Amino acid sequence: MAYRENDTGTTQTKPLPKDTKKKDVNKEDLHAQLEEDLALKQHLELRVERIYDVDPEVQKVALESMRQEVRTSISSMTYVPKLLKFLRPHYRTLKAFYETMLDSGLKKYLADILSVLALTMSVEVKRESLKYRLLGSEGDICSWGHEYVRILAGEISQEYLMRQSEDAPVDDLMELVEQIVAFHMKHNAESEAVDLLMEVDDLDPLTEHVDITNFRKTCLYLTSAARYLPDPDDILFMDTAYSIYLVFYEFASALQIALFLDNLEHVCEVFTSCDDLLMKKQFCYILARQGINFELDDDMVEDDEDRELSQAIINNVKLSEGYLTLARDIEAMEPKCPEDVYKLEKIWLLHLSMLLLMQVLARLMTDLADSSSDGSSGNWLFKNKEHAKISVVASLGMILLWDVNSGLAQIDKYLHSDDNYVIAGALLGVGLVNCSVTNDYDPALALLSEYINKEDSSIQIGAIMGLGIAYAGAQDEQILNSLIAILKHENVPHDVIAFTAISLGLVFVGSSNGEVAQAITDALTGRSVSELGQPLSRLLVLALGLIYLGKQEGMEATSEVSKSFSKKMRNYVDITLLSCAHAGTGNVLTVQKLLGHCSHLENAETSQGSAVLGIAMVAMAEEVGLEMSIRSLKHFLQYGEQKIRRAVPLALGLLCISNPKVNVMDTLSRLSHDTDLEVAMAAVISLGLIGAGTNNARIAGMLRNLSSFYYNVPGLLFCVRIAQGLVHMGKGLLTLNPYHSNRLLCSPTALAGLVTMLHACLDMKSIILGKYHFVLYYLVLAMKPRMLMTLDKNLEPISVPVRVGEAVDVVGHPGQPKTITGFQTHSTPVLLAAGERAELATEKYVPLSPILEGYVILVENTEYMEDN
């Protein structure tokens, strides 16, 4: 320890000689360093003088030695080397001398030196490092060090843009690009290599330089960057990642890219390129989660029995069985009995979930079949009024969701009722039971087709809505013909037309089917002005948008037709089409257009709500856009008009679906007490949406308080009940989030169901609180288990330890960074919340999917050794 003068002013003298000795040593070191610097400076000045020498041999020796010294000094540059500092005063004179030299090898050597000196001396716009590099000697530029290569890459991108604008050749630049990309890929700088290739509009060299050590990080950067690129660059990036994954046999990752691109040819190529049957079954689980209609053929799976089993996985035939296995393992199977429900009601603890309440209804209704012949036990059902019976009976479909055989058996008895509303509810229940499940015998189609042409509009709506939910995304031609016939039929009630259009939109979601679009457009143009002014007309327009959901293009012909409408209706059609076509793309220009439409415009009142929802639909794709949209929506609450303020809570609910962010939760809690009752109702519904399936205690507490606060306001109390049901949805085992696979993929049917329900909520009093409250059942399209279930090679559940923690963005990070933080170790099956990621906590097994979500097949690791 070095001693100093103490507080009393006395000095401890013993250590002073040591301190003095240290100072003397430092002075000696500094003096020696100064002498070294002086010697280096004089040495370099001598070299510079000899460069000016008239003797070519002296010049050659001086240039070669200086070139070598410069290269050595900057090869591992972490600061500006002294050599460059001492040569800076000579930069301009060396440049002038270069211009006087004759073309020779010596002139190229001097160009090499000037290229490096320009790193610290050149004006940025002149790009002199690149200029002298191109004039210098040929060879490997990477030996000059990473910093030199990095700066050179920046100048290349600027030079490339300038030459492109002048139509000048770029061959010499592309030669340098090849060398720089090879250098970056070898030195763990994959992101810099991709950035450079993106600047020069040529990703082809990338595939030549990826190898087994860097292809995963390269593809991760490509897929992440694609979200921030305009069309068609984003598609190009994804296609490149797809090709690289195929080359290195990462078939599951390639399949996810193919689904992102919505390219069924790529999906078929993945199946045919893979020879592992177990891996193909994993593909089927990924396809099932995405919810697309896909048929396997002999080329994809050769054996008939294996193909039948794989097709059953895609069809979600055993989804109900897997969900119940999850519930049993997490001990969430115990039902609530009616006495518990009524007891809780009496003490005002009104926070029972929709699912629990439906279980009570199911118990009451399923007991009807075994009741006495006098039918007294059936009186309970008929205490409900008219349209309420539709929801009550349809609730059976929710309770028996995905369980087709048991569900149809339970619902069948209500199809023989004398009450048309009960029949309508049963038909809707049939659709709910078959949601997301494809059956070879098409029982839903067989049952519902008999009722879609009945005279009673309630029965028609029940059957048509059931078809739309059961066959969402199926693109079934038989349904197309049946529903188009209804649209073209005269004297069909307006509400039947609206639900028919929505069902067509759901069945052909994202298909860009011209025939369907034309049929819906004709239905719109055939409506009278008074009919177009009705609340359900918004569903007709939305149905048109669903046809082009996420397609970005192809809607031009349809939007042209809208010019025949009144300005008010034209605005609504155009905004809805725009928001649907760019849903999930994160397109900034589209968000700007929608934000502009929310300003004070004439004839824009009806379409402003759709524009606000459109902002959320477009921006929900990635986190940065999502956060920026939340901020913009909060500004609307302060400055927006009434129609906009009513839509803002719904947009917030969509942006944070099943993801209770604290800031959004607080905003919605404040809005739930708004003086405008429609704003309050939308806020309450959105509280349910952001907490859907999470059992979030804070939201549950808010809703309990709201149920007491609004106990004498029936409309708001109804919204509170719905929100409570959503928060405890499926006893906390389900999610409404349409995004999966680490937020890479968005299920089109799930998003379509959410958007349909939210557009209906734009007119809460007329639709949700009116006689069409069963529109809420469209949410079932987005309901999926939020689980990780691991399976063995026989597709039987197997329990293994996994770490579950908050996901960490590792894009562009060097080395092997941790992908989760704050993790806990559990045994599968486990629940995954929004923003969470799982990884295996054992090396005994190897997952066949790179992302641990949903069903994941594990195979034993042949290299695993048990610790003694």
Side-chain angles (χ1 to χ4, degrees), residues 587-812:
N587 190 302
V588 178
L589 296 177
T590 303
V591 173
Q592 288 178 343
K593 285 182 184 177
L594 294 169
L595 285 170
H597 194 78
C598 292
S599 59
H600 301 278
L601 298 174
E602 293 184 11
N603 299 310
E605 298 84 10
T606 55
S607 57
Q608 284 177 332
S610 178
V612 173
L613 281 181
I615 292 169
M617 290 166 63
V618 176
M620 67 189 297
E622 41 84 23
E623 286 296 326
V624 177
L626 188 148
E627 292 295 337
M628 291 176 67
S629 297
I630 290 174
R631 192 178 305 171
S632 298
L633 291 172
K634 288 182 179 179
H635 290 316
F636 285 157
L637 291 173
Q638 295 176 328
Y639 311 116
E641 298 171 4
Q642 188 183 48
K643 289 279 185 182
I644 295 175
R645 293 187 78 251
R646 290 175 177 177
V648 166
L650 300 173
L652 291 173
L654 180 60
L655 283 170
C656 302
I657 193 87
S658 290
N659 182 14
K661 289 178 179 282
V662 176
N663 59 333
V664 176
M665 196 189 307
D666 292 339
T667 301
L668 293 175
S669 177
R670 188 176 72 252
L671 292 176
S672 65
H673 294 85
D674 198 89
T675 51
D676 186 337
L677 288 183
E678 291 212 27
V679 173
M681 286 189 284
V684 171
I685 289 289
S686 291
L687 275 174
L689 291 175
I690 69 169
T694 64
N695 283 338
N696 187 281
R698 189 176 174 194
I699 295 179
M702 290 178 183
L703 294 173
R704 280 198 297 273
N705 294 334
L706 288 170
S707 68
S708 299
F709 187 77
Y710 289 121
Y711 74 95
N712 60 350
V713 186
L716 267 159
L717 189 60
F718 175 79
C719 293
V720 171
R721 293 289 187 272
I722 297 299
Q724 287 173 324
L726 290 172
V727 170
H728 300 286
M729 183 177 67
K731 287 195 171 181
L733 308 183
L734 298 174
T735 181
L736 290 180
N737 196 335
Y739 280 90
H740 59 100
S741 300
N742 285 352
R743 286 186 60 81
L744 174 67
L745 299 177
C746 176
S747 171
T749 53
L751 181 59
L754 288 170
V755 171
T756 303
M757 177 264 186
L758 289 171
H759 270 263
C761 288
L762 288 174
D763 202 329
M764 194 80 72
K765 289 183 177 178
S766 301
I767 299 177
I768 303 299
L769 301 183
K771 61 181 183 179
Y772 303 109
H773 43 78
F774 45 80
V775 167
L776 292 169
Y777 280 117
Y778 280 121
L779 283 178
V780 75
L781 290 166
M783 291 182 186
K784 294 291 186 295
R786 59 181 187 96
M787 65 178 182
L788 164 63
M789 182 171 288
T790 47
L791 309 174
D792 62 16
K793 62 183 179 181
N794 298 317
L795 306 186
E796 294 297 327
I798 179 175
S799 182
V800 298
V802 291
R803 289 185 284 266
V804 179
E806 185 179 352
V808 178
D809 186 5
V810 296
V811 178

Side-chain angles (χ1 to χ4, degrees), residues 234-235 238-239 242 256-263 266:
D234 56 343
I235 305 299
M238 284 295 188
D239 268 327
Y242 169 80
Q256 287 164 346
I257 301 293
L259 290 175
F260 178 88
L261 296 171
D262 194 20
N263 190 325
H266 282 355

Side-chain angles (χ1 to χ4, degrees), residues 166 228 379 496 502 511 744 769:
E166 299 173 355
Y228 302 96
N379 292 334
V496 174
I502 277 292
S511 65
L744 174 67
L769 301 183

Side-chain angles (χ1 to χ4, degrees), residues 175-189:
E175 290 179 9
L176 287 179
V177 168
E178 284 277 355
Q179 294 185 47
I180 293 173
V181 168
F183 175 79
H184 282 326
M185 296 300 287
K186 287 178 182 176
H187 294 84
N188 302 316

Side-chain angles (χ1 to χ4, degrees), residues 45 110 144 156 325 425 466 522 529 577 662 691 744 769 813:
E45 287 175 349
L110 182 55
W144 295 88
I156 286 174
T325 301
D522 291 343
V529 176
L577 278 173
V662 176
L744 174 67
L769 301 183
H813 289 201

